[in-house]
Amino acid sequence: MKKRAIILAVITAMLTVNSGYAANTVSAEEMQKEESQASEIQAESGSEEASQVPIKPLSSKVVSENPYMAKADANIHHDCYNTDSTDEVLPVGIYPEINVSYEKVNANASPAIFFDSYGHAVVPLLGGLAIRDINADETQTEGYFSPKQHDSGDYVIQSSYSFVDESNRIVCPTSNNHVLMLKATDEEGNVLPEFEKVLDIDIKAAAEAVLGKTLDQNLLSVVFDYDGNLWFATGGFRIYPDRKQQGAVGYISRSAIDAILNGEEADLTNAVFVYELTPGEGAENGIASSKEGAVILTNLNCYLFSADNGVQKVWETPYESVGAKESKEGDATAGGGLAWGSGCSPSMTDNLVMFTDNQNPVNLLAVDMKTGEKVASLPVIDELPEEKQVSVENSAIVYDNGEGTVSTIVCNWFGAGSANLGKEDSDSSIQSYANIYDVNWLSQGNKMIMPGVERVDTIRTENGYEMKSIWCRSDLSDTSMMKLSTATGYIYGYVQNLETGMWQYIMLDFETGETVFSMDVSSKPGYNNMAIGMYAGNSGNALYCPTGYLELLRLQDRFVYLPEMPYRKVDLDKAMRNVLTQEKFEADGGQGSVCGWLSTVTVENIHPNTTVALRMKGLSGSADALKLYGYGTDGTLKEVPQDLWHIQTESGETPETLSEDVLYEVHVSVQDGGDFDLSENEDEKEIKISVVTVQ
């Protein structure tokens, strides 16, 4: 039966192709009739079912834009607040599939991915950084900077704490204590085959010259404040106070940076400002910045510093720690905690700094941004059996809804850290797998780490702040640095099913913590995602997950197809879904209220008149009141005439009332070179549309 259905589908598609050449336009009624027949044949051939995950959009995250950071997910924590949340759309189980980009050049699948303003993926490569096509079957390098090849340097770039600035330069600390700025694109966004090093400062040497003493700790992380001063901190994992290593924090003035970028000489003795930390104190993770200044969390204290012709300590807030946590005799784990102190990068809102201490039990702390006062705290992941240790080793997801509630998601990582971190000669500022992580966990998977994921809300009241646990999962062991999409309302992770050994993409309901979606990847040990992040980009249809098997996975929705040619698959890497704000919609000429995502699709080798079907969820109201707007070649929005589109259910029925939980199809007839064809390839049979539904 299946073979017969496939033959019928091909014959029907051939007939549809021929009819496409015969006329420039088709009516919505004729189009719907033909597509309904094609849908029946396609369904008969046994197509994959769509998941029933509803869309639960949240308000956009509240983050004050840093004028010196790229307008993108510009570092591994997405922004200078380290929120680990994105306003970009992520897959929602619409005919989901997993696609792969293979790695044949680098030692690992592209980890630590972040993005410039043009949407280029910046990834580690051969000890340096590169812009690469991470959607190609084999990951392709478009441009790069290698210390060994381009700088004769015996050092590596610390990609975990690199970021993209407002001019799309890459700012990165190095293992030899320098900070570099790399020009990766020209003024039009074209990638340079070899990145140009436009700034190179030996921060450790400059800081030592100011202090008049040797620093025992190495450079760890950097960040721009909102005036463009470049803040830095020394340290690494397992900074033991009793070892009295000398560390420091400080900044390089913006005036000196601008002078260097303009090709001028800069006197660093008057441009580098340093704050001497107590011996044995140092940063163990990333640092953050807000309009108030730079927030730096060490193994002993949380600080807010500001720049005023010198380092000004606005406040200093100590916290407690039981010290480095190790596996005990008889434990299922072989490794332990990564840090001596908190273990997480500070995550922020406009008003609060959020981080965990390292006590038993671990507490989530909320600190007032302006005063440094601890305004709330709550034990987290404290429902595990007594023998299961807790160590929160990554910046928490922090989501500020702008209405007085800050939601924080914390994750237990105990067991992932290498036992060698405790050795006296360990240099944990070197961010490599062999140096930081437990080899047993890397080879045996998440049974070697402890479980625990919890959401805690910090709520502003008339009397201050209060914290309460919303949900806690004691059955999940996750090291994938979970991400929250405000556009979909879900938390995304990558875990291992400990009963089957299967690695899986998962989605957790932000409201309840329930797993609402999972998709199997493989049970092979190499599909461990190596404790690195998951990344969104700006396509609205890709969740990237690196694995130890030299494969970069991307979870995608097949939300677009060609109903007249069901045998052909649209390239999902040329299909985007983005949030179009009401303000932007109206500014571009639209009238009405946006009620869906902006879908932008490119289809190659098309016929003069082609129908594109867009699968959509989250629509409601009267179907008759629904309108479709599309961008024209002049950059403005215009209403798509009713005879060129219609909405239907998957079975081909025309709905009267739309329901948010139903998957609909919006079918659009697009003429090659017509009013709504945005493709710039005039000589190729290609169309590009960008449309949004409106009530």
Side-chain angles (χ1 to χ4, degrees), residues 168-401:
N168 289 296
R169 294 176 293 240
I170 306 170
V171 184
C172 38
T174 70
S175 62
N176 65 340
N177 299 296
H178 288 230
V179 62
L180 308 181
M181 292 180 69
L182 305 174
K183 182 180 179 181
T185 61
D186 63 20
E187 287 68 23
E188 296 179 351
N190 301 305
V191 179
L192 303 179
E194 180 180 327
F195 298 168
E196 179 184 353
K197 186 170 68 171
V198 295
L199 180 144
D200 184 346
I201 296 176
D202 187 337
I203 287 188
K204 186 175 182 181
E208 288 177 339
V210 173
L211 287 178
K213 60 175 63 177
T214 300
L215 293 177
D216 302 310
Q217 300 171 15
N218 287 321
L219 175 66
L220 181 64
S221 53
V222 294
V223 71
F224 274 136
D225 66 18
Y226 282 58
D227 294 317
N229 302 300
L230 185 65
W231 287 84
F232 61 86
T234 66
F237 291 122
R238 294 289 184 91
I239 301 297
Y240 289 80
D242 59 2
R243 295 179 184 172
K244 305 297 183 182
Q245 293 177 319
Q246 183 61 60
V249 302
Y251 71 92
I252 304 168
S253 70
R254 186 69 208 184
S255 58
I257 293 171
D258 286 339
I260 295 171
L261 294 176
N262 290 330
E264 304 169 7
E265 291 290 332
D267 183 1
L268 294 182
T269 59
N270 297 317
V272 176
F273 302 93
V274 183
Y275 178 89
E276 180 181 352
L277 294 170
T278 302
E281 183 178 11
E284 294 185 287
N285 277 279
I287 56 182
S289 71
S290 74
K291 288 182 177 180
E292 307 296 330
V295 175
I296 298 178
L297 181 65
T298 72
N299 54 340
L300 298 173
N301 299 288
C302 187
Y303 297 93
L304 174 64
F305 294 109
S306 65
D308 186 9
N309 201 33
V311 177
Q312 305 299 318
K313 183 174 69 175
V314 181
W315 48 257
E316 172 184 351
T317 302
Y319 67 93
E320 299 297 324
S321 172
V322 298
K325 293 179 178 177
E326 304 280 9
S327 291
K328 303 170 184 176
E329 186 176 351
D331 283 354
T333 55
L338 290 167
W340 189 95
S342 168
C344 69
S345 300
S347 301
M348 306 187 314
T349 72
D350 281 343
N351 301 311
L352 297 173
V353 180
M354 313 294 298
F355 61 95
T356 53
D357 64 17
N358 194 23
Q359 298 194 75
N360 287 322
V362 171
N363 296 287
L364 175 65
L365 307 176
V367 172
D368 186 284
M369 177 68 75
K370 294 186 181 298
T371 67
E373 176 189 1
K374 292 179 185 176
V375 295
S377 67
L378 189 75
V380 292
I381 315 178
D382 58 339
E383 300 176 2
L384 301 179
E386 187 175 346
E387 71 275 9
K388 295 186 183 296
Q389 297 193 64
V390 175
S391 184
V392 177
E393 300 287 359
N394 188 41
S395 63
I397 295 175
V398 169
Y399 168 63
D400 180 358
N401 69 0

Side-chain angles (χ1 to χ4, degrees), residues 568-585:
R568 284 184 52 186
K569 284 193 171 183
V570 176
D571 186 351
L572 293 183
D573 298 322
K574 294 184 177 181
M576 302 178 67
R577 295 175 301 190
N578 300 103
V579 175
L580 182 64
T581 65
Q582 185 68 27
E583 180 181 16
K584 174 68 173 171
F585 172 73

Side-chain angles (χ1 to χ4, degrees), residues 441-496:
W441 167 65
L442 294 177
S443 61
Q444 298 184 48
N446 280 6
K447 68 180 181 180
M448 302 301 294
I449 64 169
M450 292 296 98
V453 179
E454 185 168 5
R455 172 185 160 187
V456 174
D457 280 5
T458 305
I459 304 165
R460 184 160 197 154
T461 70
E462 293 181 357
N463 300 317
Y465 292 90
E466 63 178 31
M467 276 187 181
K468 63 178 181 180
S469 176
I470 304 302
W471 49 261
C472 185
R473 293 286 300 270
S474 299
D475 59 326
L476 285 181
S477 295
D478 177 89
T479 62
S480 62
M481 292 188 353
M482 289 181 162
K483 304 296 179 185
L484 168 67
S485 167
T486 63
T488 67
Y490 292 99
I491 299 165
Y492 294 77
Y494 183 82
V495 302
Q496 187 179 32

Side-chain angles (χ1 to χ4, degrees), residues 1-12 40-46:
M1 184 62 186
K2 182 178 289 188
K3 182 177 180 181
R4 175 177 175 272
I6 293 173
I7 294 173
L8 285 172
V10 172
I11 293 173
T12 303
E40 291 176 7
I41 296 172
Q42 188 178 23
E44 199 175 341
S45 68

